[in-house]
Amino acid sequence: MSHTTVVPLRQPDEADDPLTAVLRSGARRLLAQAIEAEAEAFLAAMKGVALPDGRERLVRHGHGPERQVQTGIGPVAVRRVKLRDRGTSAAAERIRFTSSILPRWARRTASLDALLPVLYLRGVSMGDFQEALGALLGKDAPNLSPSVVARLRGEWEADHARWQRRDLSARRYVYLWADGVYLQARMEPQAECMLVLIGATPEGRKELVGFQVGLRESTQSWRELLVDLKARGLAIAPELATGDGALGFWKALEEVWPTTRHQRCTVHKTANVLDKVPKSVQPAAKADLREVWMAPDRATAEAAIATFAEKYGAKYQKAAACLTKDRNALLTFYDFPAEHWDHLRTSNPIESVFATVRHRTVRTKGALSQDTARLMVFKLVMAAAKT
């Protein structure tokens, strides 16, 4: 008996689902009205273009054949408006009307295109797409065959390639978060992970800045990523970078952008310190560390660090040293606006994005290839940036 993670759902085109039938009927009417309005607007804009005898050059020419467009509520039947240019037979000079609502070869809505990478990211394998989409969108899902899905994956690859080559000369990031994310233990080779950089613009928007497969502790891996960003125009150094102290990122950052200040992730530091005390002591030590990170100002935080060192140093010297050795880098965030502190203290902007995909990929059958993992990172973070 074959195993599947797909849960059978009610088919959207079943007769005993009147609400979906009403929605689909309304969607069909609205879509037809929108397509007609778009064509009429194009005709109105071209009204001044006439033939030598004064007749209008561009006229309506009926409709294209009816076709099914897959949507979030199942297939909706639509027809494309056709316009005819009576002025010339030369293809290079012909006036063409292309609907932005219903492109000539469209078989899916844009929202459905967005659904496909989400399914892919959330553990539905390429071979299960047809069954999953059939359950969601109706019997057979005729325009979503495995070959179509494979072509879509090719489109994602092309999107990723364009993004990797994009010009960054007009971009500026005030803050930068860095982390090395292990998506799956079976990803080969085992020592490699995704090196991820997320930046915040002066307007406060977080964006995926760059990522590549590499070694988390490797200065060279991070250097390659940073040098590539700088070569594509990212010349202005970020004011602050946040990340785990174990990253090879910091040395590479000093070489590429020496003026960028360092902020150690307090979540990683908390875990490192607690690892050096017995479990029975960890709850109290964690509460004392929180007094450092949540202090209202730098002076209070400095005092809390001194108190922690005095309280635990005699018996747990390694724990106290782990905290005090990065004292300055742990408190850099106090030099920036207080409303930014919650964001700057930790690398959570990266961790929160990858929590779902890490959870799902653990359950994916077979090893996760680097190519697949790279696409997953790209699609997940780009989708998150739009929310």
Side-chain angles (χ1 to χ4, degrees):
M1 181 177 177
S2 61
H3 174 72
T4 178
T5 59
V6 178
V7 179
L9 302 177
R10 180 187 297 275
Q11 302 297 331
D13 54 353
E14 285 181 355
D16 62 343
D17 187 2
L19 177 58
T20 299
V22 170
L23 289 173
R24 190 180 302 126
S25 176
R28 179 175 181 173
R29 289 195 301 271
L30 289 173
L31 184 57
Q33 292 169 5
I35 292 169
E36 290 287 338
E38 186 182 38
E40 290 297 331
F42 187 83
L43 281 172
M46 302 299 297
K47 199 169 185 63
V49 181
L51 296 171
D53 61 4
R55 292 180 301 153
E56 292 181 0
R57 176 173 167 176
L58 198 66
V59 296
R60 294 184 66 107
H61 192 56
H63 294 81
E66 186 177 90
R67 68 179 187 263
Q68 300 285 334
V69 174
Q70 296 292 342
T71 74
I73 56 171
V76 173
V78 295
R79 293 199 299 168
R80 181 174 59 89
V81 174
K82 297 172 69 176
L83 301 182
R84 178 187 172 198
D85 180 4
R86 300 188 295 187
T88 179
S89 59
E93 300 174 4
R94 188 176 303 145
I95 298 173
R96 296 183 181 275
F97 167 66
T98 302
S99 171
S100 60
I101 299 173
L102 186 67
R104 188 178 183 88
W105 306 112
R107 292 294 185 271
R108 301 171 307 277
T109 61
S111 61
L112 187 55
D113 280 342
L115 170 66
L116 297 178
V118 170
L119 289 174
Y120 189 50
L121 294 176
R122 297 199 173 199
V124 181
S125 68
M126 192 68 75
D128 290 336
F129 261 68
Q130 185 72 11
E131 187 174 358
L133 293 170
L136 289 169
L137 303 171
K139 292 183 296 185
D140 302 326
N143 299 315
L144 292 165
S145 64
S147 62
V148 171
V149 172
R151 286 198 299 272
L152 278 175
R153 190 180 189 279
E155 293 175 11
W156 305 340
E157 285 277 14
D159 289 343
H160 171 255
R162 283 191 295 271
W163 181 83
Q164 287 283 58
R165 296 191 301 266
R166 74 198 187 285
D167 181 16
L168 297 173
S169 57
R171 308 303 297 162
R172 187 194 168 209
Y173 299 103
V174 181
Y175 304 132
L176 204 64
W177 293 267
D179 204 356
V181 181
Y182 293 94
L183 294 180
Q184 185 178 0
R186 290 170 295 175
M187 184 175 157
E188 70 269 343
Q190 281 189 324
E192 294 190 336
C193 66
M194 287 292 165
L195 308 182
V196 183
L197 293 174
I198 289 180
T201 67
E203 299 77 28
R205 177 173 176 172
K206 293 187 179 73
E207 298 178 350
L208 177 63
V209 178
F211 70 94
Q212 69 180 31
V213 176
L215 301 175
R216 195 174 187 274
E217 296 79 13
S218 168
T219 298
Q220 178 61 26
S221 294
W222 286 103
R223 184 190 294 113
E224 291 171 3
L225 179 55
L226 294 178
V227 168
D228 176 64
L229 296 174
K230 193 171 183 178
R232 285 190 283 117
L234 195 60
I236 301 177
E239 295 184 21
L240 179 73
T242 300
D244 179 15
L247 298 176
F249 168 74
W250 300 110
K251 187 174 180 181
L253 182 66
E254 289 176 355
E255 296 173 3
V256 179
W257 287 316
T259 61
T260 299
R261 301 185 64 188
H262 299 190
Q263 168 64 46
R264 293 292 191 270
C265 173
T266 57
V267 171
H268 284 95
K269 178 57 69 174
T270 297
N272 293 338
V273 172
L274 295 182
D275 189 51
K276 295 171 176 57
V277 299
K279 287 188 176 180
S280 60
V281 178
Q282 288 181 3
K286 186 175 182 179
D288 290 336
L289 289 171
R290 182 174 173 81
E291 292 296 318
V292 179
W293 322 138
M294 304 307 294
D297 52 58
R298 179 187 284 270
T300 305
E302 292 274 10
I305 289 177
T307 299
F308 185 96
E310 183 177 359
K311 183 175 181 179
Y312 297 97
K315 197 168 184 180
Y316 309 110
Q317 185 178 2
K318 289 184 178 179
C322 181
L323 175 64
T324 57
K325 72 182 179 69
D326 291 323
R327 177 194 303 261
N328 293 332
L330 285 166
L331 305 181
T332 309
F333 69 89
Y334 282 111
D335 296 334
F336 293 83
E339 58 267 28
H340 298 170
W341 290 355
D342 285 345
H343 302 275
L344 300 180
R345 277 190 289 253
T346 76
S347 54
N348 276 348
I350 293 178
E351 284 294 322
S352 60
V353 168
F354 286 97
T356 299
V357 69
R358 186 186 288 110
H359 173 73
R360 298 302 305 185
T361 53
V362 167
R363 289 157 177 76
T364 304
K365 300 173 186 177
L368 184 65
S369 72
Q370 290 180 6
D371 287 343
T372 298
R374 186 180 68 251
L375 273 184
M376 292 175 74
V377 171
F378 176 64
K379 281 294 177 181
L380 180 71
V381 182
M382 296 304 286
K386 296 178 181 178
T387 60

